[in-house]
Amino acid sequence: MLDLVLRNATLPEGRVADLSFQNARLVHIGSAGRSDQEIDCTGLLCIPAATDIHVHMRGGSQSAKEDWRTGSMAALAGGVTMVVDQPNTIPPLLNQERYLERVREAKKDSLCSFAINGGISPGVDPLPLWRAGAMAFGEIFAAPSSYGDALTLEELKQALHEVHAFGAPATIHAEEVSPGTPDSLLAHHHIRSPEGEVRSLQLIRDILPPGMRPHICHISSPASLPVAPGSKEVTPHHLFLSIEQFTPDDTFARVNPPLRPESERQALFAAWDSIDIIASDHAPHTRGEKAVAFADAPSGLPGVETMLPLLMNEVRKGTITLSSVIEKTSVAPCRVLGILPAGFAPDQRHDFAFYPMQAESIRSENLHSRCGWTPYEGMVGVFPELVIQYGEVAYYHSEYAGIPGRYLAGRGYQVGEQIQ
Ligand code: DOR
Ligand code: ZN
């Protein structure tokens, strides 16, 4: 008797097959025997679940925005089984004690797998965080952002050399900020301009330690793609949202780097093949925090739950290929981090999401982030019906199995006395 059988799933290459699971592993693809737990997956497209390498799960004193429970619920309901949390928490993750506290918080509450990055601050040795299990360092702020102080170029150079010396991945938030306080989305776009993003990336390229391939977060302009060193991340909001879609001073669309004019958004989408990774930069703020003058509003918007639905809708329409979505949301993120990818092979992570390939309207009341709003309200997405995590049902028809998410430590993790 098998533990779990998923009948008649459509695999990425189009074949229809049963998936058999035993001891939380995918053991057979093809006609299955019997199981007490069988799910009819007729008409559902099964793909390796996504790894979102850029989320801000909040928690702690920021729990009114989000915490690990609601953030991981949003992830699973969006076909994401693994997230990488950013260290710009309050207080930031700059020492082992704080880092391990964060891991404990996530272990207690997260329903999806997770890794946690270490923070960078001038004068703070990053090695203890690497030993404590940091997956990577950053996002390192080359420009200030919400809850992130900028490093000077010299400090950034020093930090990149330090983390490269022990072989840790570095992820960089590259922007250039002109003086001024923005009072509209357009002003925000000019203050943190696409040209400034390019200049910032050029400066970063010149200070990299030899051989280092950093990960560049949330590239917002097509002109940045050929300039960026290392792996190139783009967010769903820069692919699907533009300034013209909002009223001029809509704070809910304020994000760093900013949304761009529609023509720029279209050009970024047209550069799809040059993008390595899609990651959400899920950065929820409460409605109350956003309900202030534009100049005072925090930057950031939620996105982990809508990332795959927006992309799968493009696959449904034929704009982008299914294989490119799997590559940019599942394969490449794991390759960049050096972690086991999700997939069908015996030695892979058996995490899958099953999509009905029918479009539905994105409605904030159907989403799970505690912030309770989405910038994609009324747009169309394809949401997964079923999500398998480590060979077990984690989410099915809007219900959660409640299995705790697993923690993945980075390559530098050492079980030492000091971090017990
Ligand atoms: O808009 C943003 N919000 N960009 C960032 O880099 C940080 C984020 C946040 O944490 O709110
Ligand atoms: Zn960022």
Side-chain angles (χ1 to χ4, degrees):
M1 201 72 152
L2 295 157
D3 292 338
L4 170 66
V5 169
L6 307 177
R7 295 237 177 247
N8 296 317
T10 304
L11 304 183
E13 70 272 20
R15 177 161 81 108
V16 174
D18 301 340
L19 302 178
S20 302
F21 294 84
Q22 189 73 47
N23 298 325
R25 306 284 309 154
L26 174 65
V27 290
H28 185 64
I29 303 174
S31 292
R34 297 243 150 263
S35 167
D36 285 341
Q37 194 185 11
E38 296 199 7
I39 295 177
D40 179 14
C41 294
T42 306
L44 297 183
L45 177 58
C46 170
I47 65 169
T51 289
D52 187 344
I53 64 169
H54 193 148
V55 301
H56 302 263
M57 284 299 185
R58 313 301 196 196
S61 65
Q62 296 183 300
S63 294
K65 302 176 196 279
E66 191 79 286
D67 64 19
W68 278 98
R69 179 58 56 140
T70 51
S72 64
M73 287 171 74
L76 287 179
V80 172
T81 55
M82 164 86 197
V83 295
V84 182
D85 189 49
Q86 305 300 304
N88 65 335
T89 46
I90 299 178
L93 301 192
L94 294 175
N95 59 50
Q96 284 194 342
E97 195 188 348
R98 179 73 193 103
Y99 182 86
L100 297 174
E101 197 184 303
R102 185 75 176 153
V103 174
R104 275 193 295 276
E105 183 187 0
K107 278 188 175 168
K108 182 166 70 65
D109 287 338
S110 184
L111 297 178
C112 69
S113 305
F114 62 92
I116 298 175
N117 284 353
I120 290 287
S121 186
V124 177
D125 181 6
L127 186 59
L129 287 169
W130 182 235
R131 296 283 179 247
M135 177 57 69
F137 284 88
E139 53 181 302
I140 306 172
F141 289 96
S145 191
S146 300
Y147 314 115
D149 293 331
L151 269 63
T152 64
L153 196 60
E154 207 33 61
E155 289 165 347
L156 182 61
K157 181 177 180 182
Q158 165 90 15
L160 293 176
H161 278 74
E162 278 171 15
V163 303
H164 188 58
F166 49 82
T171 73
I172 307 176
H173 175 132
E175 280 192 280
E176 183 193 87
V177 188
S178 307
T181 306
D183 57 3
S184 68
L185 291 168
L186 196 59
H188 193 50
H189 152 71
H190 287 308
I191 286 177
R192 296 167 173 264
S193 69
E195 298 76 22
E197 185 175 272
V198 169
R199 281 191 292 271
S200 168
L201 287 165
Q202 279 163 339
L203 291 173
I204 290 164
R205 235 175 26 180
D206 292 342
I207 56 157
L208 287 179
M212 183 179 220
R213 290 190 86 248
H215 175 72
I216 305 300
C217 303
H218 42 55
I219 288 172
S220 67
S221 159
S224 296
L225 287 166
V227 181
S231 47
K232 305 159 213 279
E233 168 193 306
V234 170
T235 67
H237 45 274
H238 292 114
L239 287 174
F240 289 98
L241 302 177
S242 60
I243 292 173
E244 290 89 331
Q245 287 166 251
F246 297 88
T247 50
D249 60 352
D250 190 336
T251 56
F252 288 84
R254 180 175 174 166
V255 62
N256 294 332
L259 298 186
R260 304 298 181 195
E262 175 62 14
S263 56
E264 184 105 4
R265 178 196 78 79
Q266 286 180 12
L268 184 64
F269 211 124
W272 175 255
D273 290 344
S274 312
I275 300 165
D276 295 311
I277 287 178
I278 308 293
S280 72
D281 194 3
H282 179 75
H285 299 284
T286 66
R287 283 178 185 275
E289 288 163 331
K290 287 283 198 179
V292 295
F294 191 91
D296 302 324
S299 294
L301 38 84
V304 69
E305 187 165 355
T306 41
M307 177 167 74
L308 264 289
L310 289 162
L311 294 172
M312 291 305 277
N313 187 49
E314 295 302 312
V315 172
R316 185 187 65 81
K317 294 194 304 191
T319 324
I320 50 179
T321 63
L322 179 64
S323 61
S324 69
V325 170
I326 297 171
E327 165 66 25
K328 294 177 207 305
T329 65
S330 187
V331 179
C334 295
R335 187 171 57 230
V336 163
L337 297 174
I339 63 172
L340 200 61
F344 296 91
D347 59 349
Q348 291 181 320
R349 230 170 358 108
H350 293 153
D351 287 13
F352 306 102
F354 294 71
Y355 294 87
M357 298 316 280
Q358 276 147 25
E360 58 179 282
S361 230
I362 298 174
R363 298 279 170 222
S364 54
E365 68 257 30
N366 298 330
L367 302 177
H368 298 81
S369 171
R370 179 160 299 140
C371 74
W373 58 276
T374 171
Y376 305 101
E377 189 75 39
M379 290 175 70
V380 165
V382 174
F383 286 84
E385 267 181 27
L386 168 68
V387 177
I388 300 292
Q389 183 171 224
Y390 281 105
E392 293 185 283
V393 175
Y395 173 84
Y396 182 47
H397 278 161
S398 310
E399 300 280 332
Y400 294 86
I403 304 165
R406 296 192 199 182
Y407 169 58
L408 276 87
R411 289 194 305 276
Y413 179 62
Q414 281 184 358
V415 184
E417 289 220 329
Q418 78 277 23
I419 58 171
Q420 289 292 300

